[in-house]
């Protein structure tokens, strides 16, 4: 069965600094990986996904993620954080056989001015 | 844009009541999902459906049932609500996986259910 781990409950960065939100996964077969963001009192919004191809995936709002097969990781990154990036971030994984996904516990990102 | 709507943003029910949570999507998606979100636990899959009248159990189906009579609508039912079902409930939909098309899920705004 597929699973995801987000090792950090909370990440704090200063505005303008680069940010990284970590994610590791476990699947049978090829992984299909996703990042979502949740703003207060809102549903989840899709940011980006990795299916195949380039290991660096670019998504919405200037975010990108790097797929690393040997480390089974899919870390979310942004070169310069904004205060408005403060939110809850979820990593998710599915394998090639199922229609459902598994989500991590979430990482709360706080960007301070 | 895909729109997924949920019938209520906030709901308060009493223990033992039967509770219906409704979800409607307007993009003709085949797949629909119900999750609950709890602090520190992330999203946990309750049930999903990949076609009308079809349903599959997720990771935590106990105490819940679902109904999908029409493609656009997926209902979550708490047969006899209990206090441990107090949570945020999120509905999502996606296109069916076909070939190498692995499609992202689109989420509704959530229903915060409190069971007293």
């Amino acid at each position: 069965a597929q699973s995801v781990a987000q090792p950090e409950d909370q990440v704090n960065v200063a505005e303008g600094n680069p940010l990284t939100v970590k994610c590791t996964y476990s699947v049978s077969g090829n992984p299909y990986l996703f990042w979502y963001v949740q703003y207060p009192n809102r549903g989840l919004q899709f940011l980006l996904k990795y299916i195949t191809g380039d290991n660096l995936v670019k998504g919405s709002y200037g975010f990108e993620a790097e797929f690393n097969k040997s480390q089974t990781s899919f870390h979310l990154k942004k070169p310069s954080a904004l205060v408005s990036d403060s939110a809850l971030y979820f990593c998710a994984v599915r394998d090639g056989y199922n229609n459902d996904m598994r989500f991590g516990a979430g990482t709360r990102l706080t960007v301070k001015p | 844009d895909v729109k997924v709507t949920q019938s209520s943003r906030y709901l308060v029910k009493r223990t033992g009541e039967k509770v219906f949570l409704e979800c409607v999507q307007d993009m003709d998606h085949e797949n629909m999902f119900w999750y609950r979100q709890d602090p520190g636990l992330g999203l946990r899959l309750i049930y999903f459906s990949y076609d009308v009248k079809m349903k599959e159990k997720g990771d935590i189906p106990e105490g819940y049932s679902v109904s999908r009579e029409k493609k656009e609508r997926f209902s979550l039912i708490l047969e006899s609500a209990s206090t441990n079902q107090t949570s945020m409930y999120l509905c999502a939909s996606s296109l069916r996986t076909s070939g190498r098309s692995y499609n992202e899920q689109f989420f509704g705004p959530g229903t915060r259910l409190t069971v007293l």
Side-chain angles (χ1 to χ4, degrees), chain A residues 13-104:
Chain A
V13 298
E15 188 174 31
N17 283 359
L19 69 88
T20 298
V21 182
K22 296 180 180 178
C23 171
T24 59
Y25 66 88
S26 173
V27 290
S28 305
N30 293 324
Y32 303 95
L33 297 152
F34 303 78
W35 275 102
Y36 288 81
V37 60
Q38 185 180 36
Y39 298 102
N41 300 313
R42 303 278 293 276
L44 274 68
Q45 296 179 32
F46 169 75
L47 277 179
L48 51 80
K49 66 182 176 183
Y50 171 82
I51 304 301
T52 187
D54 290 341
N55 290 340
L56 187 64
V57 179
K58 294 189 183 296
S60 306
Y61 313 122
F63 283 94
E64 58 190 28
E66 186 171 12
F67 171 65
N68 187 316
K69 188 173 183 178
S70 63
Q71 297 185 2
T72 62
S73 66
F74 189 57
H75 300 332
L76 182 70
K77 300 181 180 184
K78 188 173 183 181
S80 179
L82 300 173
V83 172
S84 58
D85 292 331
S86 298
L88 191 55
Y89 290 81
F90 290 96
C91 182
V93 66
R94 59 183 295 176
D95 62 28
Y97 307 104
N98 301 300
N99 277 310
D100 57 314
M101 291 199 296
R102 293 297 181 271
F103 286 80

Side-chain angles (χ1 to χ4, degrees), chain B residues 10-114:
Chain B
Y10 300 93
L11 206 55
V12 180
K13 296 292 182 181
R14 297 213 174 269
T15 301
E17 281 193 76
K18 191 169 187 176
V19 182
F20 293 87
L21 302 182
E22 305 285 343
C23 176
V24 177
Q25 50 92 6
D26 66 357
M27 285 301 291
D28 204 35
H29 284 173
E30 293 84 3
N31 299 332
M32 295 188 75
F33 308 83
W34 274 106
Y35 297 89
R36 62 177 284 176
Q37 181 182 4
D38 300 288
L41 297 177
L43 276 70
R44 293 180 292 168
L45 181 65
I46 304 171
Y47 268 97
F48 67 100
S49 168
Y50 52 86
D51 205 345
V52 175
K53 297 190 183 295
M54 305 300 287
K55 61 184 179 183
E56 294 281 346
K57 292 180 179 180
D59 294 327
I60 52 164
E62 296 79 15
Y64 303 95
S65 62
V66 290
S67 173
R68 191 158 181 210
E69 297 297 318
K70 294 185 178 181
K71 190 176 185 179
E72 68 271 19
R73 188 179 297 270
F74 191 36
S75 302
L76 180 69
I77 303 155
L78 286 66
E79 296 290 343
S80 178
S82 63
T83 55
N84 62 12
Q85 293 179 308
T86 292
S87 186
M88 170 71 87
Y89 289 87
L90 293 170
C91 175
S93 71
S94 74
L95 288 168
R96 175 177 293 148
T97 295
S98 60
R100 294 189 63 77
S101 173
Y102 296 96
N103 299 295
E104 63 270 24
Q105 295 180 10
F106 294 85
F107 283 81
T111 296
R112 187 166 294 281
L113 173 67
T114 301

